[in-house]
Amino acid sequence: MARSLKPATFSVALLVAVFVASRVGEAGADHPNYRDALDKCLQFFEAQRSGKLPADQRVKWRGDSALQDGFQQGVDLVGGYYDSGDHVKFGFPMAFAVTTLSWSVIEFEKELAAANKLKYALDAIKWGTDYFIKAHKEPNVLWAQVGDGDSDHLCWERAEDMTTPRTAYKITTDQPGSEVAGETAAALAAASRAFKPFDSFYSNILLVHAKQLFTFANTFQGRYDDSLLCVKKYYPSSTGYHDELLWAAAWLYEATNDQYYLNYVSQNAASFGGTGWAVTEFSWDNKYAGVQVLLTKVLLQGGSGAYSDTLKLYQAKGEFFLCSCLQKNNGHNIKLTPGGLLYFDDWNNMQYVASAAYLLTVYSNYLSTSNAKLNCPDGQVDPSDVLKFAKSQADYILGKNPKSMSYLVGYGPNYPTHAHHRGASIPSIFTLPSTVGCVDGFENWYDNPKADPNVILGALVGGPDANDAFSDDRKNYQHTEPTLASNAPLVGVFAKLDSVPDTGDSSSYAASSKASPPKKDAPIEFVHKITNTWKTNGTDYFRHEVTGKNVCGKPITYLKLDIENLSGPIYGLKATKAAHMYEFPEWLKALNSKQAFKFVYIQGGEPAKVAVAAYRN
């Protein structure tokens, strides 16, 4: 029996917010399990392996694939990683992923060991570096890619069934590619440094290749996307190759402590853009912020000597980027979504979020060990607050966001189930042994509305749009496709956060809560909690989570809420045709006695007013 009620409307000062929809006890976003996220993140690299899989492979739905890569050209290029949801081995972003994985091991070795994940991290690096060694058989030759993006994208098939051409492409002295040679040199140098305490022989081999590739990249300078036209549509170099040359030299200095490389980054600082460009991203394409942060480590640790003045210029540019992320750069800040996520680009924004969070995390470490602070135009920032902001981005990824969705596949109760990934979307060869053809894959699996039959654990998808909206659609590749370059920076972030004691505050800001005592006969008791606050374009926003608990003693099968003064987006409730009226979400058919549900909204200005308009037992 339905009855209309007019309980006291509920309003909390500062109730300008986002309300996350989830069943109580399921979300886990308030206390993220960073170790679980770290483990899944590393498993993603196992899912992306190409070649003959090892006996200790944990991702069991994958099989051996591409076992003749390079044979047509007379070279063994078996191994390495598939880039994303396709089956091309793009050397440029693969090398960036290996560089950032190695950086994580260098900076967070103890944290990875404490989480029992160091071996998996080293294995992930070695799967890439073993391939790079194969791809670099001559000092001035590097095989930069296997497979063609155009032909690969015409098919939707498992790697184990692959029928598309596996053409291999190389750079030489006549067709140079300083970006990919420089990035591969950086990857091998960083990996050499990471492996040095564990396998000095392998470390030395990596260093020999790194030095040769740097010399090749520097001596025969040229854009790799001019030499290899096949990469222009997929991984073109918008910043040129100067950032990769500086990046490689910085990593070779880290690996060798050879002053030649420190002199190189100093002498070329201005002409190569290292101290001139104030950048707004760190990515597989743009390495400047990474160079600047890595060289600031040298400065802060007191090893700069005669180069200190130049390194201070690098530091200033690196801190410009970090302050922009922290919203403390005199208005020249990276945009934030209403839910508090850094927003760089509509296409795979999460890759930039992950890399920015990594630089913030590692810089926090550098500042802490040097007893220093980050100097921003809008004030000094303590190392702990730098890390806290990085944590807010990691927590958003893991589910503390307006949709209560983890964008790391397989983590938490609510995550994307339609990743734009061929292997995940088609049943494993161990389940479906018959070959899935090129066209069959599109017809039977690409458009299949069902969830992926294989959960690609740890895959960081492209993520939500600028308004925190997300469509879990396999065809929406800008937002549902994972990549190597996206995942790699998260390893260090999760390792560090796993080592930090849980303070109970999962956001960058203190939370507050207040209960709304029910009036007599009121069916719902509301608890409102402010979980985040931020400033966007001069306006203060608050993230509020509202929990509604059934206190009427009987199951509620229908509920209509009247929410007035709502100016921002709301999540977790179903809008009706009537103005400001909302009902239970589709998944919630009934609310049992003492059971609770949650919803979220975001807005600036006055808070909304929430009241029960009608309900049915």
Side-chain angles (χ1 to χ4, degrees):
M1 176 179 177
R3 50 179 173 167
S4 297
L5 296 176
K6 290 187 178 180
T9 56
F10 179 76
S11 175
V12 177
L14 300 179
L15 185 61
V16 183
V18 188
F19 290 79
V20 180
S22 67
R23 294 180 176 91
V24 172
E26 285 187 353
D30 288 342
H31 300 283
N33 186 337
Y34 300 115
R35 187 167 299 188
D36 181 47
L38 171 61
D39 182 66
K40 288 179 168 61
C41 190
L42 287 166
Q43 285 194 55
F44 171 72
F45 287 92
E46 296 188 28
Q48 295 301 102
R49 284 172 173 170
S50 178
K52 181 70 175 177
L53 300 182
D56 61 354
Q57 170 87 4
R58 292 183 293 170
V59 181
K60 300 301 183 182
W61 53 266
R62 284 294 324 281
D64 299 339
S65 61
L67 298 180
Q68 295 185 338
D69 276 1
F71 287 15
Q72 182 181 348
Q73 287 81 19
V75 60
D76 178 5
L77 296 176
V78 176
Y81 289 107
Y82 299 122
D83 176 64
S84 52
D86 55 28
H87 298 131
V88 183
K89 295 192 294 198
F90 291 105
F92 191 29
M94 188 196 307
F96 174 74
V98 171
T99 307
T100 47
L101 280 171
S102 300
W103 198 355
S104 293
V105 169
I106 293 166
E107 301 297 345
F108 304 111
E109 176 192 325
K110 292 181 180 178
E111 290 84 351
L112 285 163
N116 199 28
K117 299 295 180 287
L118 180 58
K119 175 188 180 297
Y120 296 121
L122 290 170
D123 286 348
I125 295 167
K126 193 172 187 295
W127 196 265
T129 52
D130 283 351
Y131 171 76
F132 295 144
I133 290 172
K134 288 183 174 185
H136 182 234
K137 290 296 185 183
E138 303 173 52
N140 294 332
V141 174
L142 177 66
W143 293 89
Q145 181 173 317
V146 179
D148 170 67
D150 288 339
S151 60
D152 181 272
H153 288 191
L154 292 175
C155 287
W156 193 265
E157 56 190 355
R158 299 172 296 198
E160 297 85 353
D161 294 333
M162 210 183 314
T163 58
T164 52
R166 301 300 292 168
T167 309
Y169 302 87
K170 65 182 177 181
I171 57 170
T172 64
T173 56
D174 295 327
Q175 290 186 302
S178 296
E179 291 95 341
V180 66
E183 182 59 70
T184 308
L188 293 166
S192 171
R193 174 73 172 77
F195 272 99
K196 192 171 184 178
F198 311 104
D199 189 339
S200 59
F201 179 75
Y202 188 64
S203 173
N204 289 336
I205 292 174
L206 296 176
L207 191 56
V208 168
H209 285 277
K211 289 179 177 180
Q212 289 181 352
L213 280 167
F214 173 73
T215 300
F216 174 34
N218 186 49
T219 305
F220 301 95
Q221 295 185 16
R223 290 175 63 106
Y224 97 120
D225 53 7
D226 285 339
S227 297
L228 304 179
L229 298 181
C230 59
V231 305
K232 276 190 178 293
K233 286 174 59 177
Y234 302 98
Y235 285 99
S237 176
S238 66
T239 60
Y241 52 79
H242 285 152
D243 53 330
E244 278 78 29
L245 292 176
L246 294 173
W247 181 237
W251 275 112
L252 279 162
Y253 179 72
E254 172 75 20
T256 65
N257 205 33
D258 186 337
Q259 292 291 305
Y260 167 81
Y261 298 108
L262 193 57
N263 182 66
Y264 183 93
V265 297
S266 178
Q267 292 297 316
N268 294 291
S271 61
F272 282 11
T275 56
W277 278 33
V279 299
T280 55
E281 71 176 58
F282 173 50
S283 68
W284 58 265
D285 179 29
N286 191 330
K287 314 297 165 33
Y288 283 113
V291 173
Q292 292 153 0
V293 167
L294 185 60
L295 291 177
T296 301
K297 174 186 178 182
V298 180
L299 179 69
L300 292 175
Q301 293 181 350
S304 56
Y307 304 105
S308 61
D309 289 343
T310 303
L311 295 189
K312 287 178 182 177
L313 296 176
Y314 276 108
Q315 180 185 27
K317 293 301 180 183
E319 292 191 340
F320 176 96
F321 175 69
L322 299 175
C323 293
S324 296
C325 293
L326 292 165
Q327 311 297 295
K328 291 183 175 294
N329 203 35
N330 194 28
H332 301 287
N333 298 319
I334 307 299
K335 180 182 176 181
L336 290 176
T337 70
L341 181 71
L342 289 168
Y343 200 78
F344 298 87
D345 196 283
D346 191 50
W347 192 311
N348 199 345
N349 180 61
M350 281 300 189
Q351 67 175 312
Y352 307 105
V353 175
S355 57
Y358 179 78
L359 288 188
L360 289 161
T361 300
V362 77
Y363 204 71
S364 171
N365 259 21
Y366 296 162
L367 293 173
S368 294
T369 56
S370 305
N371 196 28
K373 295 183 179 182
L374 174 59
N375 294 303
C376 293
D378 295 340
Q380 285 189 330
V381 186
D382 290 331
S384 60
D385 288 328
V386 175
L387 182 62
K388 191 178 290 185
F389 186 84
K391 182 179 186 294
S392 75
Q393 300 304 293
D395 289 354
Y396 186 109
I397 289 171
L398 296 180
K400 188 176 175 56
N401 56 62
K403 294 186 73 68
S404 284
M405 171 171 279
S406 164
Y407 293 103
L408 196 76
V409 175
Y411 177 90
N414 184 25
Y415 54 81
T417 58
H418 298 77
H420 183 87
H421 190 280
R422 290 158 174 76
S425 68
I426 304 173
S428 168
I429 59 168
F430 306 112
T431 302
L432 181 65
S434 58
T435 299
V436 175
C438 171
V439 177
D440 294 338
F442 275 115
E443 292 180 348
N444 298 325
W445 303 107
Y446 181 68
D447 290 324
N448 195 322
K450 294 182 179 179
D452 294 332
N454 306 310
V455 179
I456 184 161
L457 294 176
L460 177 67
V461 299
D465 65 16
N467 295 310
D468 301 297
F470 177 77
S471 175
D472 186 12
D473 184 348
R474 195 173 293 116
K475 297 185 288 295
N476 181 19
Y477 50 87
Q478 296 97 330
H479 298 275
T480 60
E481 186 171 22
T483 69
L484 296 174
S486 302
N487 262 74
L490 288 180
V491 170
V493 176
F494 291 148
K496 174 62 178 180
L497 293 178
D498 178 61
S499 72
V500 177
D502 186 2
T503 62
D505 175 19
S506 64
S507 74
S508 300
Y509 307 93
S512 64
S513 62
K514 181 178 179 180
S516 174
K519 285 185 65 176
K520 184 179 181 181
D521 297 328
I524 302 290
E525 177 184 80
F526 293 106
V527 174
H528 297 239
K529 182 170 66 172
I530 300 171
T531 59
N532 205 345
T533 181
W534 61 90
K535 185 183 291 289
T536 301
N537 298 326
T539 300
D540 290 320
Y541 290 88
F542 298 82
R543 179 188 189 275
H544 282 238
E545 179 179 280
V546 173
T547 302
K549 184 179 179 181
N550 180 351
V551 294
C552 71
K554 298 178 181 180
I556 296 175
T557 58
Y558 174 79
L559 178 71
K560 181 180 286 186
L561 293 180
D562 181 1
I563 303 180
E564 299 182 354
N565 299 336
L566 181 67
S567 61
I570 188 166
Y571 304 92
L573 294 174
K574 179 183 176 182
T576 69
K577 292 182 180 180
H580 50 77
M581 292 291 179
Y582 297 85
E583 298 175 348
F584 278 145
E586 294 290 346
W587 56 261
L588 187 57
K589 303 302 182 184
L591 191 70
N592 294 325
S593 178
K594 297 184 180 180
Q595 184 182 359
F597 71 103
K598 294 183 182 182
F599 65 94
V600 169
Y601 73 83
I602 301 173
Q603 65 185 38
E606 290 298 317
K609 297 180 180 179
V610 181
V612 174
Y615 75 99
R616 182 184 302 120
N617 290 125

